[in-house]
Amino acid sequence: ELNEANAVRNGLILYSDSQNILFNQLHMNTPRLWQQIEQELWNKIEHEVKGSFYLEEQSHLYYFQEFHPYNNKQVSWVVMLQLDEGELNAPFNRIRIGLLIFAALALLISLALADLGARYIANPIARFSAALKRFADGEKTNEIRLNQPRQAAQELQQLEQSFKYLVKKIKESESQRDQAQNMMLQQAKLASIGEMAAGIGHEINNPLNNILSYATLIERDLPQGNAQLRKDVDGLREEALRAGRIVKGILNFARQVPPEYNLFDMHKWLQDTIDLVDPEARKHQVTIRLHELPDLEMYGDRNQLQQVMVNLLMNAIQASKPQDVVEISGQKAGVGLVRIFVSDQGKGIDESSKAKIFDPFFTTKAIGEGSGLGLSISLGIIQFHNGQLELKSNSKGGVDAIITLPLGNMSDESE
């Protein structure tokens, strides 16, 4: 109560919840307000109708408002509210702490998402980019893993599969290109050897015939008891005959006689070919096994193709060990194609020989056992028939000779 007319009641505390002072228990021993608050605050209450005051030492905030309960008296009451700043700010502090916790959680979630994004998106894309660069620099590989299949995004998995498909197609194209280049190179070699053979074949034949004639004349005049000299002349004649056979092979190769196409049964043709080489197989104690064949009619020059098969079978027999088996099989290969396999159990193809195996005069046989023209001539015949001839090492340690030829009328096939 503010009562300037009555000093006894001036500053009297009428009600205080903190001090348990009630209106109905009011007495003159009740403490005065000015005794309990700062002088500065008391002065403000006396001279101002309303206001606020902050007591920094105690962190208390005071709000007061003056009222006039009596119309006919100069007495006023002051309602004052004391607030603890800590309690006042407690809700805001809790909100602030909540915001900080939320910000920290948001930061952690953002970092986790960034890590996941880097691990499953950014890093795979970076690896993919590096793989593309290595691929462009010549490292032809499709062993690229963008991520674990169950963890990577579906788009990245599709990207990985697309990259592998791209690499596969490029490798197939390069393989086809290399095969075409090798075929063109082989054809160029065959053409060059053909031109050379046509030019020198006849010139070599004449001296060889003269050597054979002189060998015959010398043999007539040899003494009967000189066996060594007679053996030397026989060796001379044999070498001249071998040179003649090589020249004949060169001339046949150079002529490149166009094939005469006819229809013939594949099974009977292969059986007839086996009969031709059977004495050589028996000599080397090698078995030739003809597997069951489809009922197919082939179209081509039967004799020329038989020459190819004889050459392949002779090579297989000579590369085999006693008791080995040379196997022949055939099957349809796509639309209008037949594939024939000649498989042996020999020594296989040396890596150093793969690039030269179809070269004219290249042979791995001992001197005098082969001219090196058999595979070259065979390749030329197969190419005249619009086919392919391949030699590959097989799982048995030997070689698979694979002939791929068109079936039926070749003119119809080309149309």
Side-chain angles (χ1 to χ4, degrees):
E1 178 179 325
L2 295 182
N3 191 343
E4 295 179 0
N6 187 347
V8 177
R9 293 185 63 87
N10 190 35
L12 182 67
I13 298 177
L14 304 178
Y15 172 84
S16 174
D17 59 352
S18 62
Q19 300 180 40
N20 198 24
I21 299 174
L22 306 175
F23 279 107
N24 58 359
Q25 298 176 353
L26 187 62
H27 50 80
M28 290 305 159
N29 293 329
T30 303
R32 301 302 187 265
L33 182 62
W34 48 266
Q35 295 174 338
Q36 299 182 0
I37 63 174
E38 296 291 327
Q39 184 63 40
E40 185 180 356
L41 175 56
W42 174 249
N43 291 337
K44 285 176 72 70
I45 292 173
E46 282 191 309
H47 297 93
E48 297 179 12
V49 176
K50 62 179 179 178
S52 62
F53 182 80
Y54 178 66
L55 186 58
E56 187 173 359
E57 293 81 359
Q58 300 178 5
S59 299
H60 286 168
L61 187 61
Y62 298 89
Y63 292 93
F64 63 89
Q65 175 74 50
E66 185 178 355
F67 298 92
H68 296 276
Y70 308 108
N71 293 331
N72 56 352
K73 294 181 181 182
Q74 293 296 323
V75 177
S76 62
W77 290 353
V78 175
V79 177
M80 185 174 68
L81 178 66
Q82 174 186 299
L83 296 174
D84 188 301
E85 187 179 26
E87 294 180 1
L88 184 65
N89 293 331
F92 299 101
N93 289 335
R94 287 194 293 270
I95 294 174
R96 188 180 298 111
I97 293 172
L99 289 175
L100 290 175
I101 293 174
F102 177 78
L105 288 175
L107 178 61
L108 290 175
I109 293 173
S110 299
L111 292 175
L113 290 176
D115 179 68
L116 291 174
R119 186 180 304 173
Y120 299 126
I121 298 177
N123 289 346
I125 291 177
R127 289 197 296 271
F128 179 70
S129 176
L132 284 179
K133 185 177 183 301
R134 293 195 302 270
F135 186 81
D137 291 338
E139 184 181 331
K140 300 298 188 292
T141 177
N142 61 350
E143 295 300 324
I144 175 175
R145 300 289 298 174
L146 296 181
N147 224 311
Q148 295 299 323
R150 294 185 178 179
Q151 298 173 336
Q154 183 178 1
E155 292 79 4
L156 292 178
Q157 294 183 33
Q158 291 176 351
L159 185 63
E160 178 182 345
Q161 296 302 321
S162 298
F163 177 74
K164 291 182 177 180
Y165 181 75
L166 170 66
V167 173
K168 177 184 176 183
K169 285 299 182 182
I170 290 178
K171 286 184 176 180
E172 289 177 355
S173 299
E174 289 180 346
S175 176
Q176 293 173 359
R177 180 200 63 192
D178 293 342
Q179 289 179 0
Q181 287 179 345
N182 291 336
M183 187 174 294
M184 291 177 63
L185 180 61
Q186 194 64 44
Q187 288 176 343
K189 290 179 179 179
L190 295 176
S192 64
I193 194 65
E195 293 175 1
M196 178 194 71
I200 67 174
H202 292 289
E203 297 297 329
I204 294 177
N205 257 341
N206 292 331
L208 286 176
N209 290 330
N210 291 335
I211 291 173
L212 288 172
S213 298
Y214 287 130
T216 301
L217 294 175
I218 293 172
E219 188 177 22
R220 289 177 181 174
D221 297 335
L222 287 178
Q224 292 294 328
N226 197 335
Q228 182 61 44
L229 189 57
R230 189 174 297 277
K231 182 178 179 182
D232 292 339
V233 173
D234 288 340
L236 174 66
R237 180 186 293 105
E238 190 60 36
E239 290 299 315
L241 290 173
R242 187 171 73 87
R245 289 193 295 271
I246 293 175
V247 171
K248 182 179 179 181
I250 293 175
L251 290 175
N252 290 335
F253 174 71
R255 280 196 289 270
Q256 294 184 345
V257 180
E260 298 179 1
Y261 295 107
N262 292 290
L263 286 171
F264 58 91
D265 180 74
M266 181 175 72
H267 189 281
K268 187 176 186 310
W269 167 71
L270 286 175
Q271 189 60 61
D272 291 344
T273 306
I274 293 173
D275 292 341
L276 291 176
V277 299
D278 187 63
E280 185 72 13
R282 292 177 181 275
K283 176 182 175 182
H284 287 79
Q285 301 179 35
V286 173
T287 301
I288 300 178
R289 181 180 299 158
L290 179 62
H291 290 271
E292 185 176 351
L293 299 171
D295 187 16
L296 295 175
E297 268 197 332
M298 298 181 61
Y299 185 75
D301 189 313
R302 190 181 192 279
N303 293 328
Q304 287 190 5
L305 292 176
Q306 191 170 65
Q307 179 184 351
V308 173
M309 283 300 300
V310 167
N311 180 69
L312 295 179
L313 286 171
M314 292 295 287
N315 287 344
I317 291 169
Q318 293 169 5
S320 299
K321 303 180 294 295
Q323 312 308 320
D324 277 357
V325 178
V326 175
E327 298 181 285
I328 304 174
S329 58
Q331 62 185 30
K332 289 195 69 174
V335 179
L337 293 175
V338 63
R339 190 164 288 150
I340 301 170
F341 299 85
V342 177
S343 303
D344 63 56
Q345 300 171 276
K347 300 178 181 179
I349 304 175
D350 189 3
E351 287 294 328
S352 60
S353 303
K354 283 185 177 180
K356 302 180 290 184
I357 198 163
F358 289 110
D359 288 357
F361 300 110
F362 175 79
T363 180
T364 57
K365 299 176 183 178
I367 296 175
E369 293 185 9
S371 65
L373 287 172
L375 287 176
S376 299
I377 295 173
S378 298
L379 179 63
I381 291 173
I382 296 298
Q383 288 178 346
F384 263 115
H385 285 76
N386 292 336
Q388 292 181 352
L389 174 61
E390 301 174 83
L391 296 180
K392 297 180 180 179
S393 297
N394 58 34
S395 58
K396 300 176 182 178
V399 175
D400 286 344
I402 307 169
I403 302 173
T404 304
L405 290 168
L407 283 172
N409 191 303
M410 292 183 61
S411 61
D412 293 341
E413 292 288 335
S414 63
E415 294 173 3

